């Protein structure tokens, strides 16, 4: 009865876990990058399950075969030398496992870091995704429009997200389209994604960045190219311009709803150009200004010193 009860508990636990897999977005991919990552996750789980199965079988076999017996108290088991075959097995097998997982990891990482196979010759849609506490700003330089807290993309076209931040480090993640990548100030990171099926997908900040990070969820809506073109035209016809004052007010507020503009902040507040671009994203920083002032003051001091020396010489 105890054995049947234990089996029932194990079966019930597996049933609950397996039925819950349907709600896992990472295992329901809608793009090539997400599909690659899903396959790697499933493959790794299978490998780990096989390893656990072998370990458990050996564990049960060992404790059963070599359990305590009714031998005499003074019984001493015969001395046995090491088995070279077993030693080779438990050395070679881990090496094989690590090698296989390493090859899979390197190949999958290379695949998701580049444009999806079959789309290398297609022009990507560049979208600048900037985070601020605690919002997402999506700028479309090709279309000349900008959205806040939602992003619309066409299907079957490579999307090149260029990520940076106006505040704490964030991480843009759309689980059904691909993995996450960090958005930081002073530099731009690139994330390649592609949607093969139309639909509404949840995007979020995958990095803890303060009290409001849990509200940094946004909708990534994948639509057909025709629907996407109609949406862009509607934005240009109905939305208002994004002024510098409006953008600065967005940066200052903690939370904002969905907003749409027919211009982008890239015109007056461009993204950083490198690791040392400064927090103002393209402008000269205060440290640069102070450095220039220091150099000017030094030049003036040297000039005054030269004139004083000249006057002293003439006086003599």
């Amino acid at each position: 009865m105890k054995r049947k009860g234990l089996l029932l508990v194990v079966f019930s636990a597996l049933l609950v876990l397996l039925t819950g897999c349907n709600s896992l977005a990472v295992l329901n991919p809608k793009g090539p990058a997400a599909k690659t990552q899903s396959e790697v996750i499933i493959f790794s789980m299978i490998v780990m399950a096989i390893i656990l199965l072998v370990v458990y079988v050996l564990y049960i076999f060992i404790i059963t075969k070599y359990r305590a017996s009714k031998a005499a108290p003074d019984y001493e088991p015969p001395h046995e030398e090491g088995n070279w075959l077993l030693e080779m097995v438990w050395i070679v097998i881990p090496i094989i496992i690590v090698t296989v997982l390493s090859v899979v990891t390197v190949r999958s990482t290379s695949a998701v870091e580049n444009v999806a196979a079959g789309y290398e010759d297609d022009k990507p849609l560049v979208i600048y995704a900037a985070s601020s506490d605690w919002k997402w700003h999506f700028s479309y330089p090709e279309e000349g429009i900008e959205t806040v807290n939602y992003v619309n993309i066409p299907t079957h076209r490579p999307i090149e997200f260029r990520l940076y931040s106006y505040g704490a480090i964030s991480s843009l993640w759309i689980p059904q389209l691909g993995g996450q990548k960090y958005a930081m100030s002073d530099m731009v990171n690139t994330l390649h994604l592609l949607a093969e099926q139309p639909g509404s997908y949840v995007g979020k900040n995958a990095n803890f960045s303060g009290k409001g990070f849990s509200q940094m969820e946004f909708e990534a809506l994948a639509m057909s190219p025709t629907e996407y073109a109609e949406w862009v035209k509607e934005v240009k016809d109905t939305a208002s311009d994004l002024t510098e004052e409006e953008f600065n007010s967005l940066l200052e507020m903690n939370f904002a709803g969905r907003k749409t503009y027919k211009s982008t902040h890239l015109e007056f507040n461009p993204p950083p150009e490198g690791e040392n671009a400064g927090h103002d994203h393209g402008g000269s920083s205060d440290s640069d200004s102070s450095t220039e002032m220091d150099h000017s003051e030094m030049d003036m001091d040297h000039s005054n010193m030269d004139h004083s020396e000249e006057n002293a010489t003439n006086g003599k």
Side-chain angles (χ1 to χ4, degrees), residues 220-263:
L221 182 62
M223 54 182 66
S224 66
T226 302
E227 293 175 333
Y228 175 78
E230 294 175 353
W231 171 73
V232 171
K233 183 178 183 303
E234 180 183 358
V235 170
K236 291 183 176 180
D237 293 339
T238 60
S240 59
D241 289 324
L242 177 60
T243 63
E244 187 170 1
E245 292 75 16
E246 172 75 7
F247 181 70
N248 290 334
S249 67
L250 285 174
L251 295 180
E252 292 176 0
M253 66 177 63
N254 289 334
F255 307 102
R258 292 163 60 112
K259 297 181 180 296
T260 310
Y261 303 96
K262 63 179 180 180
S263 62

Side-chain angles (χ1 to χ4, degrees), residues 20-241:
C21 289
N22 292 330
S23 61
L24 292 178
V26 293
L27 298 181
N28 186 22
K30 301 299 181 182
K35 184 178 180 181
T36 298
Q37 293 170 342
S38 175
E39 291 174 349
V40 172
I41 292 173
I42 294 175
F43 176 76
S44 301
M45 292 172 63
I46 292 175
V47 171
M48 288 185 287
I50 293 174
I51 294 173
L52 287 175
L53 179 62
V54 173
V55 171
Y56 289 150
V57 169
L58 290 176
Y59 174 73
I60 295 173
F61 172 77
I62 295 299
I63 63 176
T64 302
K65 181 176 177 60
Y66 297 101
R67 68 186 185 277
S69 61
K70 296 181 179 180
D74 57 347
Y75 170 78
E76 292 186 4
H79 177 72
E80 294 183 3
E81 297 291 340
N83 190 313
W84 68 270
L85 182 60
L86 290 177
E87 293 178 359
M88 290 298 297
V89 168
W90 63 57
I91 290 176
V92 172
I93 290 181
I95 293 176
I96 294 175
I97 294 173
V98 172
T99 302
V100 171
L101 292 177
S102 299
V103 172
V104 172
T105 301
V106 171
R107 293 183 61 182
S108 61
T109 301
S110 176
V112 300
E113 282 293 327
N114 299 306
V115 178
Y119 295 90
E120 296 88 351
D121 297 331
D122 295 350
K123 180 182 177 182
L125 174 63
V126 176
I127 301 177
Y128 284 89
S131 66
S132 64
D133 300 336
W134 287 270
K135 303 165 292 296
W136 288 101
H137 310 260
F138 297 99
S139 306
Y140 300 70
E142 180 180 326
E143 318 292 1
I145 62 177
E146 182 161 330
T147 62
V148 179
N149 290 332
Y150 80 97
V151 59
N152 291 353
I153 58 175
T155 56
H156 298 287
R157 181 178 178 182
I159 308 299
E160 182 180 309
F161 283 105
R162 298 182 182 178
L163 313 172
Y164 60 98
S165 174
Y166 284 97
I169 296 177
S170 304
S171 175
L172 187 140
W173 184 31
I174 308 175
Q176 290 185 271
L177 298 184
Q180 63 85 27
K181 186 165 284 190
Y182 291 106
M184 298 177 282
S185 61
D186 299 339
M187 65 182 299
V188 175
N189 284 332
T190 303
L191 176 65
H192 295 282
L193 299 179
L194 186 142
E196 293 180 320
Q197 301 179 23
S200 176
Y201 310 119
V202 177
K204 59 183 65 179
N205 175 16
N207 183 68
F208 181 78
S209 57
K211 63 180 182 180
F213 96 102
S214 61
Q215 300 187 41
M216 289 184 69
E217 288 193 355
F218 62 90
E219 179 189 22
L221 182 62
M223 54 182 66
S224 66
T226 302
E227 293 175 333
Y228 175 78
E230 294 175 353
W231 171 73
V232 171
K233 183 178 183 303
E234 180 183 358
V235 170
K236 291 183 176 180
D237 293 339
T238 60
S240 59
D241 289 324

